[in-house]
Amino acid sequence: MTPEQERFVSTMGDTMAAWNLPRATGRTYGFLLLQGAPSSSDDLRAALGLSAGAVSTATRELVSWGLARTIAQPGSRRLLVEAAGGLEQLLAASIERARTFIRALQSAEELTETAQAAARLRDVTDLFAAYVDAGADVLHRHREP
């Protein structure tokens, strides 16, 4: 990698680490975004200096967030990995997780001990609902032709 590519890959690692994802996951995603073709696990390990376990974990994380996809190789158990889209998928996944969180918050309102606790819980729920609404609006506008 060039020094500029290395900086980008490191920045992606730092950014995703700030979101409580492993730094290796962010570095892997950054590397995949720059590649013109899918990468093998061996390619990722060599380019990023990661262990086989770190590459495997990073790949699973990226696939689960919709940020990467794996490609089966005929006649082999090995997979290739490529970046899938961009932060649109990350935002969509984040919104879906926030919706799950909102449902949990809403189901807890009847469990609160006081009106003050119920109001606090509603405030938190409303904050996350506003986040979901804003994010959904951004995605909708982004997807419009």
Side-chain angles (χ1 to χ4, degrees), residues 61-73:
E61 286 272 343
L62 292 170
V63 169
S64 76
W65 279 90
L67 296 173
R69 65 179 148 262
T70 56
I71 303 164
Q73 297 301 290

Side-chain angles (χ1 to χ4, degrees), residues 31-120:
F31 180 81
L32 291 173
L33 283 171
L34 298 177
Q35 299 307 297
S39 299
S40 70
S41 292
D42 291 339
D43 295 337
L44 294 169
R45 285 196 319 265
L48 300 171
L50 298 173
S51 69
V55 167
S56 178
T57 299
T59 299
R60 279 194 313 275
E61 286 272 343
L62 292 170
V63 169
S64 76
W65 279 90
L67 296 173
R69 65 179 148 262
T70 56
I71 303 164
Q73 297 301 290
S76 174
R77 291 181 43 203
R78 294 186 182 256
L79 299 172
L80 296 179
V81 185
E82 68 180 352
L87 292 180
E88 178 181 350
Q89 284 80 5
L90 185 58
L91 180 57
S94 177
I95 288 170
E96 198 50 46
R97 289 179 185 197
R99 285 183 175 137
T100 300
F101 187 57
I102 289 167
R103 287 190 293 275
L105 292 169
Q106 289 169 332
S107 71
E109 188 169 341
E110 66 187 39
L111 304 175
T112 58
E113 295 181 351
T114 65
Q116 181 182 6
R120 182 179 57 233

